């Protein structure tokens, strides 16, 4: 049975069951990714930025004879932002290829259509069944990135310390666990607005104005995701010349996510990119005792960023693709196929 589902009011047993399904999916599709822990899963699913909405549905098995909660074997949610709905769907490996995934997508697509949104976007992990699934539904590929993973056990820390200090005169680095301090928020947002070397998918919105940046940091904290920032300050102007952001999710604190890394146009060529990323790894090593790996996403055309990441020890892991489709077309197509 597929029904609309609100993580804020769901029972703990339902949250636990969904987590079990997510971990079964990870073990099958991405066995080298860490399983998720039962920490702030409800908040991760429920919290959104101001002005955004996430609507969720679950596919739940009938309860066993003795009562209790029927297992949650499928889940779909759509995050409504701008004119696009960003979709995520999950089906337990034991019940795949029975049409449940298609049914969940249709349920979400109908709502996105009714709400007046234009298109649906989705992140698709390369080399998993999701690729054939979305292609069979008519989604088209918009953008391809490479996910790379750095194993901290292989890092040469003395070399890294050299990189962290190998920066041109006139700049100094600052480390800010939790986010940039309020007095730097405006300069920070300006740096993000000016230029962005995209390290994350287009579907993950980046924040360019100070209020949006504050909201986005708040939202991360509420979802159980700890942000860390290293920035390079240009001493003469007080401008933020470069910044790098890493988030450690409480749901999988052994593997951190690299978010944006930016070096402003006027400050390129001074080793800032390498230095801020090296400093970040050194800080994370002491701030996050459980951390084993960091993952990052890069456009395949971003040669400068790929070169720095390779120097730091990142190894390409797999493709990470973005697909999209016109909502009306999707609903029509799926309804016609029923
Ligand atoms: C992608 C996914 C949702 C598909 O769920 P599903 O219930 O098996 O999908 P359906 O049965 O509705 O399949 C619909 C169509 O998609 C295509 N498809 C789905 N899985 C496929 C596979 N493994 N190989 C080839 N085609 C496939 C087929 O055309 C299928 O139609 P058919 O069975 O009539 O041939 C499921 O595999 C899943 O949860 N994957 C993980 C998703 C994810 O986000 N992973 C990242 C986080 S871990």
């Amino acid at each position: 049975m597929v029904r609309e589902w609100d993580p804020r009011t769901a029972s703990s047993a339902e949250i636990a069951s969904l987590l079990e399904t997510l971990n079964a999916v990870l073990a099958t599709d991405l066995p080298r990714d860490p399983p998720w822990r039962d920490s702030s899963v409800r908040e991760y699913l429920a919290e959104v930025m101001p002005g955004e909405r996430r609507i969720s549905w679950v596919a739940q098995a009938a309860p066993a004879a003795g009562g209790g909660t029927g297992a949650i074997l499928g889940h779909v949610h759509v995050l409504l932002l701008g004119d696009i709905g960003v979709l995520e769907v999950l089906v337990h490996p034991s019940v795949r290829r029975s049409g449940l995934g298609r049914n969940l997508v249709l349920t979400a697509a109908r709502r996105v259509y009714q709400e007046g949104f234009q298109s649906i976007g989705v992140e698709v992990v390369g080399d998993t069944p999701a690729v054939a699934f979305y292609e069979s539904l008519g989604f088209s590929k918009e953008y391809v990135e490479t996910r790379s993973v750095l194993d901290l056990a292989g890092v040469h820390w003395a070399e890294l310390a050299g990189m962290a200090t190998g920066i041109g005169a006139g700049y100094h680095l600052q480390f800010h666990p939790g986010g940039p301090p309020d007095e730097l928020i405006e300069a920070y947002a300006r740096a993000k607005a000016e230029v962005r070397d995209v390290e994350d998918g287009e579907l993950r919105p980046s924040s360019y104005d100070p209020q949006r940046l504050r909201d986005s940091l708040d939202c991360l904290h509420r979802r159980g995701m700890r942000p860390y920032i290293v920035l390079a300050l240009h001493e003469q102007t007080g401008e933020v010349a470069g910044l790098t952001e890493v988030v450690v999710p409480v749901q999988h604190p052994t593997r951190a996510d690299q978010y944006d890394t930016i070096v402003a146009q006027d400050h390129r060529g001074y080793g800032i990119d390498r230095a801020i990323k090296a400093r970040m790894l050194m800080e994370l090593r002491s701030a996050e005792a459980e951390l084993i790996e960091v993952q990052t996403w890069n456009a395949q055309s971003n040669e400068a960023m790929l070169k720095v990441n390779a120097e730091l020890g990142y190894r390409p892991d797999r493709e990470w693709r973005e697909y999209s489709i016109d909502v009306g077309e999707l609903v029509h197509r799926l309804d016609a196929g029923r």
Side-chain angles (χ1 to χ4, degrees), residues 25-26 29 89-91 96-102 129-130 132-133 136:
V25 166
L26 285 171
D29 293 350
V89 58
L90 212 58
V91 171
R96 287 184 181 173
R97 295 308 287 272
S98 62
L100 179 55
R102 196 192 285 119
F133 174 70
S136 82

Side-chain angles (χ1 to χ4, degrees), residues 7-8 15 36 38-48 54 219-225 250-251:
R8 285 169 299 189
I15 299 279
W36 280 38
D38 189 2
S39 301
S40 298
V41 173
R42 184 189 300 279
E43 291 75 10
Y44 180 87
L45 294 168
E47 295 293 339
V48 290
R54 188 187 287 114
C219 183
L220 280 175
H221 287 291
R222 290 197 309 273
R223 298 180 83 198
M225 302 160 88
V250 71
Q251 297 85 6

Side-chain angles (χ1 to χ4, degrees), residues 226-252:
R226 294 190 286 270
Y228 291 92
I229 280 159
V230 170
L231 46 85
L233 270 188
H234 184 228
E235 288 160 2
Q236 207 184 335
T237 59
E239 283 299 300
V240 171
L243 60 94
T244 190
E245 309 168 331
V246 168
V247 167
V248 181
V250 71
Q251 297 85 6
H252 53 88

Side-chain angles (χ1 to χ4, degrees), residues 306-326:
L306 289 171
K307 181 165 175 280
V308 169
N309 285 346
E311 280 173 31
L312 292 167
Y314 280 91
R315 301 264 171 276
D317 170 52
R318 60 177 69 224
E319 278 191 359
W320 218 265
R321 305 168 169 195
E322 283 175 18
Y323 282 72
S324 73
I325 194 166
D326 178 83

Side-chain angles (χ1 to χ4, degrees), residues 113 117-120 138-140 324-332:
Y113 186 65
F117 285 75
Q118 189 76 45
S119 60
I120 288 187
F139 281 70
S140 40
S324 73
I325 194 166
D326 178 83
V327 189
E329 186 191 322
L330 177 63
V331 171
H332 181 73

Side-chain angles (χ1 to χ4, degrees), residues 50-297:
E52 293 175 0
R53 271 188 304 149
R54 188 187 287 114
I55 312 176
S56 308
W57 294 261
V58 291
Q60 193 162 16
T69 305
I72 292 186
L73 298 173
H75 175 60
V76 63
H77 62 238
V78 64
L79 183 67
L80 299 174
L81 40 100
D83 64 350
I84 187 173
V86 181
L87 186 90
E88 272 186 56
V89 58
L90 212 58
V91 171
H92 195 288
S94 64
V95 293
R96 287 184 181 173
R97 295 308 287 272
S98 62
L100 179 55
R102 196 192 285 119
N103 187 10
L104 288 165
V105 169
L106 175 59
T107 305
R110 280 200 182 121
R111 173 65 74 83
V112 175
Y113 186 65
Q114 280 163 13
E115 299 268 352
F117 285 75
Q118 189 76 45
S119 60
I120 288 187
V122 63
E123 281 194 350
V124 180
V125 183
D127 208 16
T128 70
V131 173
F133 174 70
Y134 285 108
E135 288 183 354
S136 82
L137 300 185
F139 281 70
S140 40
K141 188 163 66 182
E142 299 289 341
Y143 193 70
V144 181
E145 292 183 312
T146 301
R147 178 176 76 168
S148 303
V149 180
L150 173 68
D151 178 359
L152 294 186
V155 169
H156 192 302
W157 293 100
E159 230 170 70
L160 205 74
M163 290 184 194
T165 49
I167 187 169
Y171 296 97
H172 74 262
L173 304 191
Q174 293 184 351
F175 171 60
H176 296 290
D182 214 53
E183 67 272 16
L184 282 177
I185 284 268
E186 302 226 344
Y188 192 90
R190 264 199 305 279
K192 288 189 71 136
E194 188 203 325
V195 65
R196 187 161 72 113
D197 271 334
V198 182
E199 283 235 4
D200 54 3
E202 290 293 302
L203 297 177
R204 280 176 237 185
S206 197
S207 305
Y208 304 130
D209 74 75
Q211 192 47 47
R212 187 117 183 110
L213 188 56
R214 285 190 192 96
D215 289 344
S216 132
L217 287 161
D218 266 7
C219 183
L220 280 175
H221 287 291
R222 290 197 309 273
R223 298 180 83 198
M225 302 160 88
R226 294 190 286 270
Y228 291 92
I229 280 159
V230 170
L231 46 85
L233 270 188
H234 184 228
E235 288 160 2
Q236 207 184 335
T237 59
E239 283 299 300
V240 171
L243 60 94
T244 190
E245 309 168 331
V246 168
V247 167
V248 181
V250 71
Q251 297 85 6
H252 53 88
T254 61
R255 186 184 281 200
D257 299 329
Q258 173 79 54
Y259 280 35
D260 280 354
T261 295
I262 288 168
V263 179
Q265 199 70 41
D266 290 351
H267 303 286
R268 296 195 172 170
Y270 298 100
I272 292 176
D273 187 351
R274 186 179 290 103
I276 54 183
K277 284 190 161 177
R279 170 75 180 271
M280 174 65 88
L281 292 174
M282 296 174 68
E283 297 287 357
L284 286 174
R285 189 187 185 202
S286 45
E288 288 287 342
E290 294 188 86
L291 192 65
I292 299 172
E293 298 163 314
V294 182
Q295 56 186 352
T296 187
W297 292 263

